[in-house]
Amino acid sequence: MDGPSLPGPSLPGPSDGAAPGRAARWLDADEQRAWRAYLSMQGRLAAALNRQLQLDSGLSLADYEVLVHLTDTPEARLRPYELQWALQWEQSRLSHHLTRMRRRGLVDREECSEDGRGAFIVLTEKGRQAITTAAPGHVGVVRRFFFDGLSREEVALLERLSTRILDRLDDTDATPEGDVG
Amino acid sequence: MDGPSLPGPSLPGPSDGAAPGRAARWLDADEQRAWRAYLSMQGRLAAALNRQLQLDSGLSLADYEVLVHLTDTPEARLRPYELQWALQWEQSRLSHHLTRMRRRGLVDREECSEDGRGAFIVLTEKGRQAITTAAPGHVGVVRRFFFDGLSREEVALLERLSTRILDRLDDTDATPEGDVG
DNA sequence: GCAACGTACATGACGCGTCATTTATTTCCA
DNA sequence: TGGAAATAAATGACGCGTCATGTACGTTGC
C-alpha cells in the first residue's frame, strides 16, 4: 500500500540521516506518506474533474473557472487583468486560454474605450449555455469525490490549511530568495 | 479576499434555492469558500513546485516522480506497467513522458527477455545525477510551502482526508455511472 | 496450431501551460 | 512637452496530457 519515498528520495542512502546540504532536511516517514497521499489525491481529483467536464459539456476545468467569473459579474464582462487577478493565472496562460475560448465562441472581445491597450472579455450566449449545462454535473462530481467524503469540520479545516499555504505562496512570491521565518 | 462562487455558479439566480435538476444541490457559502481555497492552493502550489524544479535542475515534477520511483528500486529499473501502477498515470501519458525523458538522457530502454512486448526503463547516470541535484531544493520548497505552515496533526489529518478522497476516486472509477451511497 | 482475445506499449493529433519576447498604449516626471 | 518606464495584452516555440488508435506479442480455447 505504501508508496515509495517521494520528495526526499532515498538518495543519500537509507541509513544515513544526513540532511541535504543546501536546503531543508529530508521528509520523515510520516511526512512522506502525507505528501504522497496529497500529491496523488490532487492529481487524480483534478483529472476526474476534467474528465467529467470534458465528457459532459466539452468544457475544461479552466474554461469553467473563466466562465464562472464572468457569470458572477453583473455585466458578464471583465477586463483580462481582472480575470487574471481573480484566477491568479499567469498572464500568457490567460491570454492563450481566452484566445481558444473565443475561437470556440464561449467568450467574445470588445474594445475598451477607457484604455486603448485593453479589452473586455464578454460572456456569449453560447458560453452561458455551456456553463449552465455543465454546472449540475460538475457540482455533482465535486460533491461526490470531495464533500461527501468529508465532515463539516474537516472541510473547514481544509479551507484553513489551504488559505495558510496560499499565504505562504503569496509571501514568498514577493520575497526574493532568502528564508521565510 | 473572498472569490466568487465557483462550482455552483450563481446560475439559477442568487435567491432561488432550487437544486440543480440532474445532480447534487449547489454548494453553500462555506463549501464554496473551501472549494475555491483548495482549488487555488492546489494550482498555485503545483505551479510553484514545477517552477522551482525547472529552474533548479531542468526537471519537471513529473520527471521527478518517475526518477524517484526508479531510484527507489534496487536495480534502478522498472517495467513501464510497474511505473504506471506506482504513479497512477494514464498509460499514454507515461509512454509519452518516458519517450521525452529518454530523449533527454534521463532514462534508457532495455529489452525484456521474459516478455517480448515489454521493456525495462533504466535510470541512467545522468538521471541519477539530475535527481540528486534536484532533491534538496525540491524538499526545501515542499517544506517551505507545505509542511512549515502545518502542524503535525494537521499534516496527519490532511493525509487521512487525501486517502479518503482517493478511495472514493478508486471506487467510482470502477463503478459504472450510478450514485455512490 | 490457429483464431480470438487480452496485454504492453507506441504514436498522431490536438488542446493546454510556460517562458521569452513583442506591440501598443498610458503614466510619470524632469 | 518629450522621453523613459510601466502596464495591458498577444504571440511563437516548445514541452505536457489526453483521447483515439495502432502494433506486436502473449494467452487461451477449441
Side-chain angles (χ1 to χ4, degrees):
Chain A
M1 280 306 159
D2 44 88
S5 54
L6 217 194
S10 19
L11 290 174
S15 53
D16 89 304
R22 187 197 135 227
R25 67 190 183 285
W26 300 118
L27 303 183
D28 64 35
D30 289 352
E31 290 169 329
Q32 301 253 11
R33 275 201 332 281
W35 179 244
R36 274 215 65 73
Y38 165 77
L39 259 196
S40 178
M41 179 279 282
Q42 176 273 34
R44 298 231 280 139
L45 180 58
L49 292 170
N50 266 305
R51 195 159 33 239
Q52 178 272 332
L53 272 175
Q54 189 63 47
L55 288 179
D56 233 57
S57 58
L59 297 179
S60 66
L61 186 52
D63 297 332
Y64 192 93
E65 297 193 55
V66 170
L67 293 177
V68 163
H69 282 279
L70 286 174
T71 54
D72 262 0
T73 267
E75 297 291 325
R77 59 181 221 166
L78 288 168
R79 299 286 300 273
Y81 77 88
E82 297 177 299
L83 271 170
Q84 191 190 345
W85 202 93
L87 295 165
Q88 291 285 305
W89 285 1
E90 300 214 353
Q91 182 266 320
S92 72
R93 172 185 180 184
L94 179 61
S95 186
H96 281 303
H97 204 90
L98 291 177
T99 299
R100 292 185 288 249
M101 290 182 73
R102 190 172 172 230
R103 196 185 307 143
R104 290 190 286 150
L106 298 170
V107 299
D108 204 355
R109 278 176 62 89
E110 276 180 13
E111 295 281 314
C112 177
S113 49
E114 318 147 32
D115 189 334
R117 300 164 296 183
F120 281 105
I121 300 300
V122 197
L123 183 65
T124 62
E125 191 48 41
K126 183 173 175 186
R128 188 178 293 278
Q129 292 201 356
I131 191 173
T132 305
T133 302
H138 179 61
V139 177
V141 173
V142 171
R143 269 205 185 287
R144 165 144 78 168
F145 291 136
F146 192 80
F147 288 104
D148 286 355
L150 309 179
S151 75
R152 208 78 191 170
E153 295 74 31
E154 288 169 336
V155 169
L157 181 63
L158 191 51
E159 182 192 344
R160 285 207 302 282
L161 304 193
S162 299
T163 306
R164 215 181 300 157
I165 293 173
L166 276 172
D167 287 345
R168 300 181 74 82
L169 286 162
D170 284 333
D171 282 359
T172 328
D173 278 354
T175 311
E177 273 284 316
D179 51 14
V180 179
Chain B
M1 278 305 160
D2 45 87
S5 53
L6 218 193
S10 17
L11 290 174
S15 53
D16 91 301
R22 187 196 136 228
R25 66 189 184 285
W26 300 118
L27 304 183
D28 64 36
D30 288 352
E31 290 169 329
Q32 301 253 10
R33 277 201 331 282
W35 178 244
R36 274 215 67 70
Y38 165 76
L39 259 197
S40 178
M41 179 277 282
Q42 176 272 31
R44 300 233 278 137
L45 180 58
L49 291 171
N50 267 305
R51 195 157 35 238
Q52 178 272 331
L53 272 175
Q54 188 64 45
L55 288 178
D56 236 56
S57 57
L59 297 179
S60 67
L61 187 51
D63 297 332
Y64 192 92
E65 298 193 55
V66 170
L67 293 177
V68 163
H69 282 279
L70 286 174
T71 54
D72 263 0
T73 268
E75 297 290 326
R77 61 180 218 165
L78 288 168
R79 298 285 300 273
Y81 78 88
E82 297 177 297
L83 271 170
Q84 191 190 344
W85 202 93
L87 295 165
Q88 290 283 305
W89 285 0
E90 299 213 352
Q91 182 266 322
S92 72
R93 172 184 180 184
L94 179 61
S95 185
H96 280 303
H97 204 90
L98 291 177
T99 300
R100 292 185 289 250
M101 290 182 72
R102 190 171 174 230
R103 196 185 307 143
R104 291 189 286 150
L106 298 170
V107 299
D108 204 353
R109 279 176 62 90
E110 276 179 14
E111 294 281 314
C112 178
S113 49
E114 318 147 33
D115 189 333
R117 301 164 295 181
F120 281 104
I121 300 300
V122 197
L123 183 65
T124 63
E125 192 47 41
K126 183 173 176 187
R128 189 179 292 278
Q129 293 201 355
I131 192 172
T132 305
T133 302
H138 179 61
V139 177
V141 173
V142 171
R143 270 205 183 286
R144 164 144 79 167
F145 291 136
F146 193 80
F147 288 104
D148 287 355
L150 309 180
S151 75
R152 207 76 190 170
E153 295 74 31
E154 288 169 337
V155 169
L157 181 63
L158 192 51
E159 182 192 343
R160 285 207 301 283
L161 304 193
S162 299
T163 305
R164 215 181 302 158
I165 292 173
L166 276 172
D167 287 345
R168 299 182 73 82
L169 287 163
D170 284 334
D171 282 359
T172 326
D173 277 355
T175 309
E177 272 283 318
D179 49 16
V180 179

